[in-house]
Amino acid sequence: MSPNHWYPAAFSHEVKRKQLIDVTFMGDSFAVYRGEDGVARSVENRCPHRQIKLSHGTVEGCNVVCIYHGWTFEPGGKLVGFKHDKFGKKLPVLNVQAYPVRERYGIIWFFPGDPELAALTPLVEIPHSDDWASVRFAFTWAAHHSMLIDNLCNLSHLWVHGSWVPYGPTVLADSSAEKDKLTLSWEHELRRDFMHPFTKRVFRRDASSNLSDTFMIYDYPYQSALSNQRIRSTNFMLPIDETHTRVFTYQLWKPPKGVPKAVFQRLVMPALKPIAREIFRQDGFTVEEEQKSWFIHGHRPIPEPNPMVKRFNELTVRKWDEYLEFKRTGTLTDAQMAEQVRVKVL
Ligand code: FES
Ligand SMILES: [Fe+2]
């Protein structure tokens, strides 16, 4: 995936003050840390002295101190000190690359690409992040990110979830493709099983029908699904390498009328989280199996009746090609820049 976007490095609670973590994006390692001032930051994860990872080190104030000889780097990446004798010499002029970091939605976002583009690129907007209850979790799967996009957007895979989801027959009612954004409107019949008295209350479009909707977005490089206007699942991929992807999920549930968000958050979300995680576990199993099979059978054709799957892949490949072109020329076309600065609303 193109590094010229904001990617999740970790959930905010995973990086405490004075803590450093190692985050890998497309094979490159980044030290992400939180200074004593509480601000999250990121630098290249390589000490220029002996090339070992700075994430093994410590944080002093807002600086990173390498574990080995204590070379110390300020947040901009400049070497500002040693923990040993200078041998009568001046401090060398050395820098590690610093990367832009932001924090929102309980997620630490970093921009592994061109820092000048970071300043122009808005963070994703997630409606109702303030007034709906939420859960967050992440999985790392041994699969290419395009397999995750296919899985997350293509609901012809609902079969694998069996009775963990309330849907029976499901059709793709509508779809669109505009620039870097694809949308899919799915229509479901709710399954009339022993859970139907409960699921119809949550998922039924209106009292006169047994239908439900899921509206999906793949707005590169992000994905979301809005179920029945009341459950929003936003998914952010961190491509670790060609065959490993970490997916950060931030799910929002609209509290029923008259139920305060705090009450819904405290009493209901803890019960929903294990169900959401189990559904993702099932997805993870299948994409990892798909990746394993790809190593053996990757040369075989992939018959696919859903016309949007081809679109997902075309978009993913086009954005990668655009990035390679940007690396070569250092510029974006006007159309590419318009997409770069567009606010993505999931
Ligand atoms: S390797 Fe980092 S200070 Fe020596
Ligand atoms: Fe799924």
Side-chain angles (χ1 to χ4, degrees):
M1 291 184 123
S2 165
N4 287 330
H5 295 277
W6 294 100
Y7 286 91
F11 289 121
S12 294
H13 70 266
E14 294 175 309
V15 187
K16 312 223 173 339
R17 279 172 202 248
K18 300 186 71 173
Q19 190 180 352
L20 286 135
I21 62 165
D22 178 2
V23 175
T24 306
F25 178 91
M26 303 283 282
D28 291 327
S29 182
F30 299 79
V32 175
Y33 69 100
R34 195 181 293 284
E36 290 184 44
D37 60 355
V39 176
R41 300 181 172 88
S42 177
V43 291
E44 172 188 3
N45 202 4
R46 178 190 65 84
C47 176
H49 185 210
R50 292 289 188 274
Q51 321 302 327
I52 72 171
K53 286 186 171 181
L54 287 170
S55 58
H56 294 306
T58 48
V59 176
E60 276 184 7
C62 302
N63 297 340
V64 175
V65 182
C66 179
I67 192 174
Y68 199 177
H69 311 89
W71 288 25
T72 302
F73 303 88
E74 51 92 33
K78 188 175 160 207
L79 178 71
V80 290
F82 292 158
K83 298 291 186 190
H84 58 75
D85 184 29
K86 292 199 184 74
F87 303 97
K89 296 181 182 153
K90 279 191 186 158
L91 200 65
V93 179
L94 279 174
N95 278 282
V96 290
Q97 178 71 47
Y99 293 90
V101 171
R102 293 195 193 162
E103 203 161 0
R104 198 170 165 198
Y105 310 119
I107 295 172
I108 298 172
W109 305 85
F110 75 126
F111 199 97
D114 184 288
E116 282 182 27
L117 280 184
L120 303 172
T121 308
L123 260 190
V124 63
E125 283 295 325
I126 304 176
H128 297 294
S129 56
D130 294 331
D131 54 329
W132 288 11
S134 61
V135 291
R136 297 173 180 80
F137 53 84
F139 285 97
T140 298
W141 292 330
H144 188 266
H145 52 267
S146 63
M147 291 176 184
L148 272 68
I149 289 292
D150 174 22
N151 171 273
L152 291 166
C153 289
N154 181 13
L155 287 189
S156 54
H157 84 278
L158 285 179
W159 172 253
V160 76
H161 296 307
S163 54
W164 284 89
V165 293
Y167 305 127
T170 293
V171 295
L172 181 60
D174 198 8
S175 63
S176 73
E178 196 182 345
K179 296 171 185 157
D180 293 355
K181 181 176 177 179
L182 307 178
T183 68
L184 300 89
S185 296
W186 297 90
E187 193 176 84
H188 319 272
E189 275 179 44
L190 294 177
R191 204 177 42 250
R192 293 183 186 276
D193 58 10
F194 74 101
M195 289 293 286
H196 189 249
F198 166 73
T199 56
K200 73 178 184 186
R201 284 169 178 270
V202 178
F203 292 96
R204 197 163 55 176
R205 184 190 294 168
D206 56 58
S208 65
S209 80
N210 191 40
L211 295 175
S212 185
D213 305 292
T214 302
F215 180 68
M216 294 197 142
I217 298 173
Y218 174 29
D219 199 351
Y220 186 93
Y222 310 128
Q223 193 274 345
S224 75
L226 178 63
S227 302
N228 205 26
Q229 303 291 330
R230 63 195 327 176
I231 305 163
R232 190 186 308 278
S233 178
T234 59
N235 301 294
F236 305 102
M237 270 151 288
L238 176 71
I240 295 169
D241 58 30
E242 283 193 0
T243 54
H244 293 83
T245 309
R246 186 160 176 78
V247 57
F248 291 76
T249 293
Y250 174 41
Q251 268 186 18
L252 294 152
W253 283 63
K254 181 181 182 180
K257 248 194 199 137
V259 178
K261 175 192 163 185
V263 172
F264 197 71
Q265 181 74 46
R266 181 172 281 234
L267 297 183
V268 181
M269 297 314 282
L272 295 174
K273 188 172 180 178
I275 298 171
R277 284 184 62 92
E278 169 57 22
I279 291 170
F280 269 72
R281 188 200 61 75
Q282 294 160 2
D283 287 324
F285 173 80
T286 50
V287 294
E288 288 193 338
E289 284 301 306
E290 181 180 356
Q291 180 67 65
K292 280 189 225 166
S293 301
W294 187 88
F295 289 127
I296 304 165
H297 304 295
H299 59 289
R300 293 177 186 267
I302 300 175
E304 175 51 60
N306 179 353
M308 290 304 284
V309 171
K310 188 164 174 260
R311 299 284 193 129
F312 308 149
N313 291 332
E314 283 171 352
L315 175 55
T316 304
V317 170
R318 173 169 64 77
K319 293 306 291 180
W320 180 247
D321 286 343
E322 284 178 11
Y323 167 66
L324 294 179
E325 186 65 7
F326 173 81
K327 238 172 84 166
R328 203 177 60 77
T329 63
T331 56
L332 295 177
T333 65
D334 289 349
Q336 289 165 0
M337 184 56 92
E339 285 299 275
Q340 188 74 32
V341 302
R342 175 171 61 82
V343 178
K344 293 169 193 245
V345 183
L346 295 183

